[in-house]
Amino acid sequence: MRAAWPGGGKEVLDMPMLEVKDLHVHYGVIEAIKGISFEVEQGEVIALIGANGAGKTTTLHTITGLIRPTGGTILFEGRDITRTPGYKIVPMGMAHVPEGRRVFAQLTVLDNLMMGAYTRRDKDEIRETLAMVYERFPRLEERKTQMAGTLSGGEQQMLAMGRALMSRPSLILMDEPSMGLSPIFVNEIFDIIRQVSQSGTTVLLVEQNAKKALSIADRAYVLETGRISLAGDADELMNNEAVKKAYLGE
Amino acid sequence: MSFAAHLISGISLGSVYALIALGYTMVYGIAKMLNFAHGDVIMIGGYVVFVTVSGMGMNPLAGIVVSMAACTVLGVVIERVAYRPLRGASPLAVLITAIGVSYLLQNIALLAFGSDPKAFSNVVTLPNLELFDGQLVIKSVTVVTVAVSVVVMIGLTLFVKKTKIGRAMTAVSEDKGAAQLMGINVNGTIAVTFAIGSSLAALAGVLLCSAYPSLTPYTGSMPGIKAFVAAVFGGIGSIPGAFIGGILLGVIENLSKAYISSQLADAIVFSILIIVLLVKPTGLLGKQVQEKV
């Protein structure tokens, strides 16, 4: 199987795409992540759900090297990336759409997208990916010369996702993509995540909107104050009484 | 003609400020820190030329290249040893470290070369420009200084806008974390910024000492502070701003010296800074970041 896009060319892995083992993260003396382990298989959409402060963002930041763990290991496609500098992880095929979008406000939409392809060399291939991103996000093409800071929240989210796709990741990490968006945009964003997944990219999704997240995920992990309290198929968790009560508002 | 002469020497002095301010503004723009040791890198650059050209009899151009190379290394080493460990520390800690580095460089020079001024021989040996039947003489060092600063300003602007590493610098200046998520080596990018800033400081040092041929361990200190003022004046972080700020500052300083009072010149320069900051806190060309949330 060859994934068509955007993680094209990746062979089928005979191991988990991402494996987090007994991860510990401290902020000073406070332990934010208290030994969590989870796996993401190739092609899956995995949701990490949980309340504010449960450690979801910290987990993603640790995987992409923005924060150093104090214990545990992270394997990406079988390679140990626990101590790998963050900037070297991107060319391995992992992209991260950060919480709050963090587009480069003073660069144009096009320049932002090109930053996403920073680690790539082949100009023709980059152009090809750009065309695909524009196809998926026509609004970005309409606004390509506009400063990213002048986009609306939903458009900035699309830009952040498009920018991440520009590196042709095999695994994409998304942190609260629906945060602060109007309901229409939330639906649009989740449709896009589904499309990204269908085109062969593995997705690790962090969301407070548990209902939405579980609706598109294959499996999910529930994070509670730095520990995984529940794990299972998304359908199962959707019907789990504790999850319903705590995260689905039922 | 005397007004024109004062104006021209003001532009010359301003060009030196502009070169120094470009280094200040690059480092501030990208690393978000004020490198107060920048002025002292100028002085080191001057001493390197003094040793190689006046001492070892090297060709002046070769001496300048050696000096720029030495200061590039010095800038990168300072960044690596003194500033990188403090990345993420409070800006105040970084500022104090920068002041410490400044004193360290001054005292190293003091130890190595003593406190008496060294006579610096002009490295620009071209003939002077005589206009209006010799009524207005423009020194060749002036012409070279102005030309160099214009070329450097344009070069830097193109570098930041057009090259990949330049765009990486813009990304790092906006958001280090997001830049790293793009696969940008943030520490490497900041090191490159220091390298460029310090090589410009060396160039500024040579031109400064050629125009004002007396070199002491404190030579870089005052021009450094004034260049910082120029950078703030023009809008810190802005490359054309640093250039315009530098030129304006040099002209104001020289005209004040000529027509008001040479003792008051510095006071006037700094007063203008205060007024500019009161009226337009971002400086002349400072960016007003507009951002929808």
Side-chain angles (χ1 to χ4, degrees), chain B residues 83 137 181 261:
Chain B
Y83 302 148
V137 178
L181 292 181
S261 148

Tab-separated table of all heavy atoms in Angstrom, chain B residues 83 137 181 261:
chain	number	residue	atom	x	y	z
B	83	TYR	N	24.623	33.681	26.135
B	83	TYR	CA	23.193	33.950	25.945
B	83	TYR	C	22.352	32.693	25.764
B	83	TYR	O	21.228	32.634	26.227
B	83	TYR	CB	22.970	34.882	24.742
B	83	TYR	CG	23.694	36.210	24.855
B	83	TYR	CD1	24.176	36.866	23.737
B	83	TYR	CD2	23.888	36.806	26.104
B	83	TYR	CE1	24.837	38.078	23.835
B	83	TYR	CE2	24.560	38.013	26.216
B	83	TYR	CZ	25.034	38.649	25.079
B	83	TYR	OH	25.685	39.841	25.181
B	137	VAL	N	35.560	69.624	0.580
B	137	VAL	CA	36.341	68.402	0.456
B	137	VAL	C	35.608	67.285	1.175
B	137	VAL	O	35.282	67.412	2.358
B	137	VAL	CB	37.746	68.588	1.060
B	137	VAL	CG1	38.531	67.275	0.974
B	137	VAL	CG2	38.478	69.713	0.349
B	181	LEU	N	8.621	23.944	15.053
B	181	LEU	CA	7.671	22.965	14.508
B	181	LEU	C	7.710	22.917	12.986
B	181	LEU	O	7.200	21.994	12.374
B	181	LEU	CB	6.252	23.281	14.981
B	181	LEU	CG	5.977	23.092	16.478
B	181	LEU	CD1	4.536	23.424	16.800
B	181	LEU	CD2	6.297	21.673	16.907
B	261	SER	N	25.845	73.560	20.516
B	261	SER	CA	26.905	73.453	21.508
B	261	SER	C	27.474	72.051	21.450
B	261	SER	O	26.715	71.080	21.370
B	261	SER	CB	26.334	73.737	22.900
B	261	SER	OG	27.025	72.979	23.867
